[in-house]
Each structure stands twice: as structure tokens, then as C-alpha cells.
Amino acid sequence: MPRVRTKVAREAAPKPSFDRGAAREQREAMILDEAIRFFADVGFAGQTRELARRLGLTQPALYKYFQSKEELIEKVYQRVFISRWKSEWERMLTEPAVPLKDKLERFYLDYARIVVEHNFIRITMQAALAGDRLTSRYVTQVGERIVPRVCHAVREAAGLPPIADGELSARELQTVWDLQGAIIYLAVRHHIYGFAPLEPLETSVRGIVATFIAGAPQVFGELARVDAGETVRKARTGRKSGSSLSK
Amino acid sequence: MPRVRTKVAREAAPKPSFDRGAAREQREAMILDEAIRFFADVGFAGQTRELARRLGLTQPALYKYFQSKEELIEKVYQRVFISRWKSEWERMLTEPAVPLKDKLERFYLDYARIVVEHNFIRITMQAALAGDRLTSRYVTQVGERIVPRVCHAVREAAGLPPIADGELSARELQTVWDLQGAIIYLAVRHHIYGFAPLEPLETSVRGIVATFIAGAPQVFGELARVDAGETVRKARTGRKSGSSLSK
DNA sequence: GACTTTGGTTATCGTTTGATAACTAAACGC
DNA sequence: GCGTTTAGTTATCAAACGATAACCAAAGTC
């Protein structure tokens, strides 16, 4: 029964042999990186043989690192998403005494640099289309940790009273989601539709933030006035809402 | 040589037999509609057998209508894209004497109803990821026929002089693309990421347009002032650009 | 230096999957 | 009515593709 013997030996393996393990993980990471590029390119229907070829390996060699294609894809997801969430983002958006414009620009410039990237957006989109959960997890995080904080920041700048996350109106939240959308669409247009950007990423992000800042607080303010009957105006400059521009 | 005889007979086929052809086209359309739903669901890697099953047919029957899976997908593209471009959009955006807000709301409400739709956005995205040309054609059309017209409309409302399409700055065009992006992202969030909308589509579209109108003309105006040295101000209400809100 | 583990190979297996062949029954034209 | 088309069937092919088996050489362990 050599089978059993092997199994026992493996389970009892006493010395994991430091370097070996590290080297293996490094190798696995290299494969994952190539897999990310590969699947971002051709989609998850891409063949393991082709991936192996790109790595300069034979196809069965992949199975020394991953039990199945499915597991490989799962690890690709994890590597893509986990490595692209920065915990400081939440801090950046709550830092007190930073003017709204600076706060949003700093955050969205950083965020966009991570998110408007070929492999990230393509993997994300393919994963989402395939119904994978991790993608929604990422978007859920944005919805829980980013969007409300931006809302609060805008409310503060618009002179509205602070409220809890749960009390933010759908309208306020959606307005911030629209800002998100404009950022993400930069990535979609470039990396999925394949159109060259019209200008540097930084310029676009600043522009999106500028339009938002010029528009959103006013929208928030109008919401508040509708809700509360004109009580909150201190941050508004007395301009009539519907000037010649909007009518 | 029965082969040749058949061929000749087919080529010379004198009476296309009205109803037959019509019925066939109808049947083909039915299949295409199901194929759209199917591929939107599972992606273009979906099996022809499964599609046939959904249609209540056997798989080889599909090949009476399409020479290959590729051709079927090609026709799916055409059906999806061609049927969803309205030529009146271009007219709606150039109609004179309609206030900017009304013009944009009317157009984007209609546009969103077409574009923020399960099958459309999913097929579009999958096709784009697969590198298909028709998708880019659709986006190109938006870029050529919609975006510049919106730019002109905004310029007009902001009191800026009319210019040719080619003279629109990257900054102006991108600002309008960002508006597009916010609309499309409504579809992505709902139909690809799978999150329930926070509010009715119409409300979101009106909100996006409102934010844009409150923000964009100001941005356009500032652009113009930078370019031309404060000469164009007639449509502005005298509010300082960077009020307490943005600083 | 014998023994084991590891990372790789070549050969191959079993499904899956697009596509075709061969046939059939109903509909159609005359 | 009789031959022809046509829309469908069943059976089947050939290639693609994920996965496994069996083997091998180099490195590591004792």
C-alpha cells in the first residue's frame, strides 16, 4: 500500500524547509500575475494551455500549483481585489479641516490610479459578468465605506447638519454614486471599449471632481430646502437655483 | 451529378414563395431574441446546445438558420445595436429654443431607457471585452453625434460663441463624456454588478442632469475665461467661481 | 550516498462542444 | 398526386480542453 504510506509521510512532514516554501510562493505569485494579464486579455474562457505557453511551461505543470482552473481563477480574483483596496482611503475622506475640493481630489486621484487600470477593470468586469461574488464585495465596500463618507463631506461643505450613515437619502447617495460612475467610466471607455483617453487621467479626475463640486452641493442644498422648508442656506451664495442656465 | 443539379436548382429558384420567407425570418428573429437573452445571461461561451434547449429545439436545428456560432453572434450584435439607435436623438439635441435643462432631460431620459437595460448593457460589455467592432461603432456614434451636440448646447447656454465640432476642446468633450459615464454606470451597477437601484431610473437621470447643469456650464465658463481672458461672462450670474463651497 | 520531495515533462483520458451527415415528414408549387 | 423544399430529427464526427498518470531529474534531507 504505497498510497497510504505517501499520505502519512506528507501529513507528518516535519520540516517545511523554509526557502523551499518561500520560493514556491514566489513562483505561484508569478504565475498568478501572468494569469491576471492573460484572463484580463482573453476572458476566463481562455485555455490553460495558452496560459502555460505564455509562462514557458507545459499545461500540466500548472496543476502543480492549482488543483483546478476554477481554483486558479478564484486566486486571481483574490489577488486582484485584495491588493487594490487601500485602507487609508477611509481616513482620507474623514480627515477634518480639509476643504471639500482638496479632500475629493486627493482621494479620487489616488482611487483612480488604482481603479482605472487595464487589468483591474477588465478582470472586474468579466468576474461581475460571470456572477462572481468578490466583485460585488468590492463594490459593496465602496458603497459602505466611500460613498457615505463623501456624502457627509459634501453635506458639511454645504452647511448641512451631520447625520448618521443610515439617514442619508437615496438621492444624496445616488449623486455620489454618479461621481463614482464617471470615474469608472474613464476606465471602461479606455480599457474595455478601447478608446484613447482625450487627456491625462489626472486632468479628467480633477474635471470630474470640479463638476461635482460645482453641482452637487447645490443639489444637496436643494434637497435640504425641500425637506426642511428653506431653513438651511448659510452656505449658499444667494444665487437663484434656476438661473438662465438651467431654464 | 446530383450535386450540381441541386445547386443550379437553388440558384435559379424562381419563386421565393412569399409567406415561407417571411415566416422564416420571423422564426429567425425569435431565435435571435432568445439568443440575446441567453448570451446576455451566460456570456458568448454559452453552448449552442443549451440555447437550443431553451428554444425547445435540438442543437443541429440552429444550423438551419446560421452557418456557425460566430455568424449567430454576429447577428446578435447587429440586432442589439442597430435596434437601439434612435436617429431623432440628434434632432432632439439641436432643436433651437429649448432650454438646456429640458433638452438634456428629454434626451437622456429617452437614451437611458434604451441603454440602461439588462440585455443591452450585458451584451455590449461582453462584446467589447471580446474585442468586437460593433460595440466601438456604437460608442463612436455617441462620440460623434451626441457628445459634440451636448457640448454645443452647453456652450450656448453658458453664453459662449458657437464653434465647429472640431474646435471643441478635449476638456469640454470629456466633461460631457463624464455625464455619459454616470448614465452608463447606472446600468453597470444594476445589471452587471447586480445591485438594486436606489431610486427609479428617471429620478437618477434627472439628478445626473441637474448636477451636470449646475456644474458643467461653470466649468465651461472657466475654461473660456482661461482661454480668452475674462471676455465672456454675459450668461454668468456674477457668483465668484470658487465660493465657500469649493474652498 | 541512499531516500524523499519537488517541479517539471510526455502521453493520454474523458467530456464538452461546434459542426455535419443522413434521414423524415410536412408544406408547397404545379 | 408528384417531385421539391424545408424545418426539423437522430446519430456521429473531430477538435478542443480540463485533468490525470506515469515518469524523470535535480535539489534537499539525514
Side-chain angles (χ1 to χ4, degrees):
Chain A
M1 273 165 189
R3 276 283 176 119
V4 172
R5 213 169 65 88
T6 317
K7 215 171 190 177
V8 167
R10 196 169 285 165
E11 274 168 13
K15 296 183 183 165
S17 170
F18 288 55
D19 283 332
R20 279 288 196 94
R24 187 193 166 85
E25 273 178 30
Q26 221 174 340
R27 195 106 179 78
E28 183 178 319
M30 271 184 45
I31 295 179
L32 275 178
D33 283 338
E34 186 62 44
I36 288 172
R37 264 170 263 141
F38 175 64
F39 289 131
D41 258 22
V42 308
F44 291 115
Q47 309 173 19
T48 53
R49 278 170 172 77
E50 172 65 12
L51 170 58
R53 201 189 55 71
R54 287 205 196 185
L55 282 158
L57 291 174
T58 57
Q59 180 241 6
L62 293 176
Y63 289 82
K64 299 289 173 172
Y65 295 90
F66 312 98
Q67 287 196 347
S68 65
K69 188 183 178 182
E70 207 182 321
E71 187 194 298
L72 167 61
I73 291 176
E74 199 58 40
K75 290 197 177 175
V76 161
Y77 287 158
Q78 286 174 18
R79 197 171 172 80
V80 166
F81 292 124
I82 290 175
S83 68
R84 314 224 183 181
W85 183 270
K86 288 198 190 178
S87 54
E88 58 256 52
W89 286 341
E90 300 161 52
R91 241 174 296 131
M92 289 170 74
L93 288 170
T94 27
E95 202 141 6
V98 178
L100 180 61
K101 185 177 172 186
D102 294 354
K103 200 182 277 184
L104 295 187
E105 275 194 357
R106 279 181 213 165
F107 165 69
Y108 276 109
L109 282 172
D110 199 46
Y111 178 74
R113 250 189 297 274
I114 300 284
V115 145
V116 182
E117 192 261 329
H118 189 82
N119 294 332
F120 178 80
I121 191 69
R122 289 182 66 95
I123 293 279
T124 300
M125 208 53 87
Q126 311 223 14
L129 282 165
D132 176 75
R133 283 220 202 81
L134 288 193
T135 312
S136 346
R137 272 255 296 278
Y138 198 91
V139 181
T140 301
Q141 278 197 322
V142 170
E144 288 176 354
R145 307 194 183 175
I146 305 296
V147 170
R149 282 176 168 82
V150 175
C151 278
H152 293 312
V154 174
R155 287 180 61 90
E156 188 196 342
L160 298 168
I163 56 177
D165 279 13
E167 292 179 274
L168 292 164
S169 69
R171 194 77 280 287
E172 287 171 307
L173 293 166
Q174 182 62 50
T175 305
V176 175
W177 274 113
D178 298 337
L179 166 59
Q180 277 287 320
I183 300 281
I184 298 295
Y185 191 73
L186 292 174
V188 171
R189 207 183 100 92
H190 184 190
H191 298 294
I192 297 183
Y193 294 160
F195 288 93
L198 299 174
E199 54 185 19
L201 175 62
E202 193 182 303
T203 310
S204 292
V205 172
R206 283 186 204 281
I208 290 169
V209 170
T211 309
F212 176 78
I213 290 216
Q218 188 175 336
V219 172
F220 274 43
E222 260 159 48
L223 276 178
R225 279 190 297 129
V226 170
D227 289 355
E230 295 281 347
T231 56
V232 185
R233 302 198 55 165
K234 80 178 181 200
R236 298 178 50 76
T237 52
R239 191 170 76 129
K240 264 183 71 185
S241 72
S243 75
S244 66
L245 290 176
S246 47
K247 195 52 203 271
Chain B
M1 277 169 184
R3 276 282 173 118
V4 173
R5 213 169 66 89
T6 315
K7 215 171 190 179
V8 167
R10 195 168 286 165
E11 275 168 11
K15 298 185 180 163
S17 169
F18 287 56
D19 283 332
R20 279 288 194 92
R24 186 193 168 86
E25 273 177 32
Q26 220 173 342
R27 197 107 179 77
E28 183 178 321
M30 271 183 46
I31 295 179
L32 275 179
D33 283 338
E34 186 62 44
I36 288 173
R37 263 169 264 140
F38 176 64
F39 288 131
D41 259 21
V42 308
F44 291 115
Q47 307 173 20
T48 52
R49 277 171 174 76
E50 172 65 14
L51 170 59
R53 202 190 54 72
R54 287 206 196 185
L55 283 159
L57 291 175
T58 57
Q59 180 242 6
L62 293 176
Y63 288 81
K64 299 288 174 177
Y65 295 89
F66 312 97
Q67 288 196 346
S68 65
K69 188 183 179 183
E70 207 183 321
E71 187 193 298
L72 167 61
I73 290 175
E74 199 58 39
K75 289 197 178 174
V76 162
Y77 287 158
Q78 286 173 18
R79 197 171 173 81
V80 167
F81 293 123
I82 290 176
S83 68
R84 314 226 181 177
W85 184 268
K86 288 199 189 177
S87 55
E88 57 257 52
W89 286 341
E90 299 162 54
R91 238 174 297 130
M92 289 169 76
L93 288 169
T94 27
E95 202 141 6
V98 178
L100 181 60
K101 185 177 172 187
D102 294 354
K103 201 182 276 182
L104 294 187
E105 275 194 356
R106 279 182 213 164
F107 166 69
Y108 277 109
L109 282 172
D110 199 45
Y111 179 74
R113 250 189 296 275
I114 300 284
V115 146
V116 182
E117 192 260 329
H118 189 82
N119 294 332
F120 178 80
I121 191 68
R122 289 182 67 93
I123 292 279
T124 300
M125 208 52 88
Q126 312 223 17
L129 282 165
D132 176 74
R133 282 220 202 82
L134 287 194
T135 313
S136 346
R137 272 254 296 279
Y138 198 91
V139 182
T140 302
Q141 279 198 323
V142 171
E144 287 177 355
R145 306 195 184 174
I146 304 296
V147 171
R149 282 179 169 80
V150 175
C151 279
H152 293 312
V154 175
R155 288 181 59 92
E156 189 195 341
L160 298 168
I163 56 178
D165 279 12
E167 292 179 274
L168 292 164
S169 69
R171 194 78 279 286
E172 287 171 308
L173 293 166
Q174 183 61 51
T175 304
V176 176
W177 274 113
D178 297 337
L179 166 59
Q180 277 286 320
I183 300 281
I184 298 295
Y185 191 73
L186 293 174
V188 171
R189 205 182 102 92
H190 184 190
H191 297 294
I192 297 182
Y193 295 159
F195 288 93
L198 299 175
E199 53 185 21
L201 176 62
E202 193 181 306
T203 310
S204 292
V205 172
R206 283 187 203 281
I208 290 169
V209 170
T211 311
F212 176 79
I213 290 215
Q218 189 175 335
V219 172
F220 274 45
E222 260 160 48
L223 275 178
R225 278 191 296 127
V226 170
D227 288 356
E230 296 280 347
T231 57
V232 184
R233 303 198 54 165
K234 80 177 183 200
R236 298 177 52 77
T237 51
R239 191 170 73 130
K240 262 183 74 186
S241 70
S243 74
S244 65
L245 290 177
S246 46
K247 195 52 200 274

